[in-house]
Amino acid sequence: MYSDKVMDHFQNPRNVGEIENPDGVGTAGNPTCGDIMKLYIKVNDGKIMDAKFQTFGCGAAIATSSMVTEMVKGKTIEEALRISNKAVAEALDGLPPIKMHCSVLAEEALQAAINDYNERLTKKNNE
Amino acid sequence: MRFVYLDHAATTPTDPEVVKEMLPCFTESFGNPSTLYKIGREAKKAITLARDKVAVAIGAKSEEIIFTSGGTESDNFALKGVAFANEQKGKHIITSSVEHHAVLETCKFLAKNGFEITYLPVDKYGIVDPEDVRKAVTDKTILVSVMQANNEVGTIEPIAETGKIVKEKGIYFHTDAVQAIGAVPVNVNDLNVDLLALSAHKFYGPKGVGALYIRKGTRMMSLINGGHQERRRRAGTENVPGIVGLGKAIELAVSKMEERSKQLTFLRDKLINGILDNIENVRLNGHPEKRLPNNANFSFEFVEGESMLLNLDLVGVAVSSGSACTSDTLEPSHVLSAMKVPIEIAHGSVRFTLGKNTTEEDIDYVLEVLPPIIKKLRQMSPLREGLDLNV
Ligand code: FES
């Protein structure tokens, strides 16, 4: 039911783990089935230099987590914000319709991580 | 790569001995059992023989056995058949919250058609308390339906006790024995049941055939109208090869039950102990003793079921899961929910169901490949021991 790309990212997920002293951390929970994704980003000069994830979820959730970390690396914050769950799913050669909601997890975790980064930045600037 | 099939609760391979008995029915004695000439009579005789075998296997009379297309149809027939034939007496039906969907969805349908359904709770092992059944009975109750053994967690229900209570009250009692045949003793009189559903492909028979036991004197409505087949209760030209296969399969299942159960229990316990001893944060779902000899259902904390299932499949092990992610409704298993298993624990559930061809090497293999899979997925998981799961 999954594409070869999904299975590849599921079997060999890229960028698993935590980043020490991250510049942003985002957590997203999936209201549909109850899964959780945590995304860490390291930012330098407005550019995402590194991204890592931890996911509790199905094959599609793990594969989309892995893919989104690959996609954001090297992107500016503005570019990263434009990554939609559909784009992640497409990069994986598609997901079964019932699994599309899992890719929403990736988009939301990424946005949460960027929000966290922006908040930290504002706080720092105000200090 | 080794292939280890551990999903026998889903279906079993058809026994070659069963296939052998079925084959002539396709090509030689292919006659319609309703016809009078020789090959028709042969087919009719084959059905009669199969009916006798099913009856003997469950302690019933031959005329009390109706052949159907499987467990789902048998459950539908039992519930709808009794409900619509007895509604002038009352429109109340009692069942449990851990039944198979064949029963639960039929109850939903009946509820839409004016029947009132009581879904009894279960304890943490999935057991329906017979006293709860007694308390739920009203003067409008016409039918009680509780399964003999649970397909997900393997818990065996105290059907004989429940049956006794239901009988005293003069109400019909149906049990879904689909998982029980060939695993534990099934006798309609010992169990005090009026109706009992079974399905051939769960005990090494073919798919697409099952039976419903209907105690003599039970007021039933026909589910399928047409010709005179199956005492007019289930019309349509009989699935002769399937029925013959069912007959052979149930004969084998019952005659080999003791021997197989012993072997399965040994292997199941080896698997259970091997997993509980070698992997942390695991729990066994279902009753520790009152469980089917072939069922081991675990929850591995901090990991999700589908990802375990896929990883096991990659190393040749076929299992199933009660995780929300594996169901097409994206809801966790209703059985685990009824047992009050927390949702995130239900999420990490995996069911292993062994079969007659499962070997000790198969179990050793699972015990070898499983721990690294759990480890890998836990390393990937944001959840940890002692962590608040309600993010
Ligand atoms: S995370 Fe639950 S279905 Fe994908």
Side-chain angles (χ1 to χ4, degrees), chain A residues 2 30 32-36 55-62 64 98-103 105, chain B residues 304 306 323-327 330 347:
Chain A
Y2 287 134
N30 194 334
T32 320
C33 58
D35 297 296
I36 300 160
T55 291
F56 168 74
C58 72
I62 291 172
T64 47
I98 193 168
K99 295 288 183 181
M100 273 312 280
H101 73 272
C102 317
S103 62
L105 204 63
Chain B
E304 185 280 324
E306 189 202 88
S323 164
C325 303
T326 55
S327 82
L330 293 172
H347 231 102

Side-chain angles (χ1 to χ4, degrees), chain A residues 13-126:
Chain A
R14 330 306 195 237
N15 314 309
V16 178
E18 300 171 50
I19 293 179
E20 263 183 63
N21 305 316
D23 296 315
V25 185
T27 304
N30 194 334
T32 320
C33 58
D35 297 296
I36 300 160
M37 176 181 176
K38 215 166 167 180
L39 189 82
Y40 304 79
I41 50 172
K42 193 89 197 157
V43 186
N44 203 346
D45 251 358
K47 245 189 187 170
I48 299 178
M49 304 311 290
D50 197 9
K52 278 196 160 44
F53 80 91
Q54 290 173 313
T55 291
F56 168 74
C58 72
I62 291 172
T64 47
S65 304
S66 165
M67 183 50 98
V68 82
T69 54
E70 285 285 274
M71 288 168 79
V72 296
K73 277 203 228 169
K75 291 223 163 60
T76 64
I77 292 292
E78 291 72 47
E79 285 166 343
L81 271 173
R82 282 199 298 270
I83 296 175
S84 67
N85 74 305
K86 262 175 112 183
V88 181
E90 268 161 32
L92 286 165
D93 293 341
L95 287 171
I98 193 168
K99 295 288 183 181
M100 273 312 280
H101 73 272
C102 317
S103 62
V104 175
L105 204 63
E107 182 187 308
E108 285 178 358
L110 173 62
Q111 275 166 4
I114 292 175
N115 283 346
D116 181 47
Y117 164 74
N118 285 334
E119 270 168 37
R120 289 185 198 206
L121 206 64
T122 339
K123 227 166 131 195
K124 227 206 237 148
N125 290 343
N126 289 343

Side-chain angles (χ1 to χ4, degrees), chain B residues 115-129:
Chain B
F115 288 86
E116 193 202 322
I117 317 287
T118 299
Y119 298 93
L120 294 176
V122 292
D123 68 6
K124 64 176 172 178
Y125 299 124
I127 290 185
V128 181
D129 185 347

Side-chain angles (χ1 to χ4, degrees), chain B residues 43-75:
Chain B
K44 178 140 197 150
K45 197 167 157 212
I47 291 182
T48 307
L49 268 171
R51 200 185 308 277
D52 292 346
K53 284 180 183 171
V54 175
V56 168
I58 61 170
K61 299 187 195 81
S62 294
E63 67 267 27
E64 295 174 316
I65 306 298
I66 300 288
F67 291 117
T68 67
S69 67
T72 296
E73 184 188 320
S74 294
D75 282 331

